[in-house]
């Protein structure tokens, strides 16, 4: 698992520029590759410091670190994915095909539910396809926990993810028009291939992305003429489940791309990672501050990828 996250960090670092170039949904701010890389890097560094044989414990720690440092839609969804994958693996010292299939299914359900308005043709669809592919392997359905069954499960998960990435272009109008596949979906495909390579002691498949529309060339021109006004607001906050649901409802009324996911349990309820795109930060920040005491607050201008216009990292 440590090798997986390290390989994923390396792969995303190598591919971040091209992922940024094809990033046009939900906003064409050209930062999906950067966001995924930074988030996975946080997970990899946290995992490297954990001494345990418990896969669930290791990935829970990595998932919490990813959630705290999550960037953008894609990074936040990866953090949700990683935290959910950890749950069925608690107490396990070895990954198997059936365990992986269970973990991927848990993760795809959790990821779809984290978004207020989930959209097919995105990283979510690729995650779901990967889980379905893993679950359909005959050996997994018969509870085979051999290394051969694990290899088959990993291969099926990666192949299904690749097919889903190809399909994203026809699922979203903006991608069809730009003749590109979804950047977050490609990023997740790279993460799954890193899991395959790390688990089986193999190398990353450099040819995996050959032929994906828009990905074989740098194409930053696809961002031209696309309106990306507004800001991305992110923070961490301790709330009860009821207060979190209320905050989510109010943020839905203000903007879109709302993601709220529990990081860890605290005395007040849960520590939540909050993400939203809004026209103006002030109303969203007021809602958040009325709900509790946010920390790790960041406000990023969507029109200029990665331009943080206000940030507070206390707490």
């Amino acid at each position: 698992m440590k090798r997986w996250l390290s390989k994923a960090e390396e792969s995303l670092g190598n591919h971040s520029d091209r992922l940024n170039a094809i990033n046009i949904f939900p906003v064409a701010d050209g930062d999906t590759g950067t966001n995924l890389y930074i988030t996975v890097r946080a997970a990899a560094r946290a995992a490297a410091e954990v001494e345990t044989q418990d896969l669930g414990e290791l990935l829970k720690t990595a998932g919490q670190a990813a959630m705290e440092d999550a960037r953008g839609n894609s990074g936040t969804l990866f953090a949700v994915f990683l935290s959910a994958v950890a749950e069925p693996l608690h107490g396990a010292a070895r990954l198997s095909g059936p365990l992986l299939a269970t973990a991927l299914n848990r993760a795809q359900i959790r990821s779809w539910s984290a978004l207020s308005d989930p959209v097919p043709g995105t990283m979510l669809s690729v995650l779901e396809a990967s889980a379905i592919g893993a679950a359909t392997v005959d050996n997994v359905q018969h509870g085979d926990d051999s290394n051969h069954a694990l290899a088959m499960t990993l291969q099926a998960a990666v192949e299904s993810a690749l097919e889903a990435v190809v399909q994203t272009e026809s699922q979203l109008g903006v991608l069809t028009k730009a003749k590109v596949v979804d950047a977050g979906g490609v990023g997740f495909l790279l993460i799954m291939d890193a899991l395959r390579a790390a688990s089986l002691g193999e190398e990353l498949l450099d040819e995996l992305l050959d032929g994906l529309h828009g990905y074989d060339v740098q194409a930053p021109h696809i961002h031209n003429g696309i309106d990306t006004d507004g800001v991305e607001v992110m923070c961490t906050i301790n709330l009860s489940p009821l207060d979190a649901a209320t905050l989510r409802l109010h943020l839905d009324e203000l903007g879109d791309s709302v993601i709220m996911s529990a990081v860890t349990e605290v005395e007040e309820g849960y520590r939540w990672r909050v993400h939203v795109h809004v026209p103006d930060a002030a109303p969203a920040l007021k809602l958040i501050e009325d709900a509790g005491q946010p920390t790790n607050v960041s406000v990023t201008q969507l029109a200029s990828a990665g331009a943080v216009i206000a940030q507070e990292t206390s707490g």
Side-chain angles (χ1 to χ4, degrees):
M1 294 300 97
K2 291 182 178 183
R3 192 161 60 243
W4 167 34
L5 295 173
S6 178
K7 278 183 173 292
E9 176 189 354
E10 176 187 355
S11 182
L12 288 167
N14 290 336
H15 288 265
S16 60
D17 286 348
R18 285 191 286 176
L19 290 174
N20 288 343
I22 64 170
N23 168 212
I24 59 173
F25 185 87
V27 287
D29 48 356
D31 62 359
T32 287
T34 302
N35 289 339
L36 269 175
Y37 169 71
I38 291 173
T39 308
V40 172
R41 182 181 64 184
R45 291 182 177 180
E49 297 177 1
V50 178
E51 295 299 329
T52 180
Q53 297 301 310
D54 188 322
L55 300 185
E57 180 183 348
L58 175 72
L59 294 184
K60 179 181 179 181
T61 300
Q64 289 175 347
M67 196 74 77
E68 293 286 358
D69 283 355
R71 298 286 188 92
N73 288 53
S74 56
T76 305
L77 282 175
F78 168 75
V80 172
F81 160 80
L82 191 59
S83 296
V85 162
E87 294 172 4
L89 300 183
H90 278 293
R94 174 180 168 275
L95 188 64
S96 67
L99 269 178
L100 175 60
T102 299
L104 289 175
N105 186 57
R106 177 77 60 89
Q108 68 95 1
I109 292 172
R110 186 69 57 79
S111 298
W112 278 94
S113 63
L115 271 164
S116 292
D117 187 22
V119 178
T122 63
M123 182 175 170
L124 288 171
S125 294
V126 180
L127 205 168
E128 180 181 32
S130 183
I132 292 173
T136 55
V137 174
D138 287 341
N139 299 54
V140 168
Q141 293 177 347
H142 291 92
D144 186 347
D145 64 355
S146 67
N147 288 341
H148 176 66
L150 175 61
M152 292 178 64
T153 307
L154 287 162
Q155 190 61 41
V158 172
E159 289 176 356
S160 297
L162 176 58
E163 291 174 8
V165 167
V166 173
Q167 291 170 10
T168 60
E169 182 181 351
S170 61
Q171 289 176 284
L172 284 170
V174 289
L175 300 182
T176 305
K177 183 178 179 181
K179 298 180 181 179
V180 297
V181 292
D182 181 67
V186 178
F188 183 74
L189 174 61
L190 291 170
I191 290 168
M192 286 305 300
D193 186 49
L195 176 59
R196 179 204 57 77
S199 299
L200 304 180
E202 298 179 358
E203 296 301 316
L204 297 170
L205 297 175
D206 291 334
E207 68 277 12
L208 189 65
L209 308 182
D210 290 351
L212 291 181
H213 284 182
Y215 199 75
D216 55 346
V217 294
Q218 292 284 354
H221 63 276
I222 65 175
H223 299 142
N224 293 343
I226 300 179
D227 184 8
T228 55
D229 288 341
V231 294
E232 175 184 74
V233 177
M234 298 189 69
C235 72
T236 308
I237 189 169
N238 293 352
L239 296 173
S240 69
L242 178 59
D243 288 341
T246 302
L247 177 59
R248 180 200 284 263
L249 179 64
H250 291 323
L251 290 176
D252 278 333
E253 293 170 347
L254 277 184
D256 53 34
S257 293
V258 177
I259 306 175
M260 287 191 64
S261 184
V263 181
T264 187
E265 194 168 357
V266 296
E267 186 175 346
E268 304 94 311
Y270 292 91
R271 184 169 175 82
W272 300 84
R273 188 63 172 168
V274 181
H275 171 282
V276 62
H277 292 171
V278 288
D280 177 48
L285 291 173
K286 185 178 187 308
L287 282 174
I288 293 169
E289 289 163 358
D290 287 346
Q293 296 181 326
T295 60
N296 301 325
V297 179
S298 67
V299 179
T300 306
Q301 189 71 46
L302 294 175
S304 178
V308 177
I309 56 177
Q311 185 170 7
E312 175 197 354
T313 57
S314 60

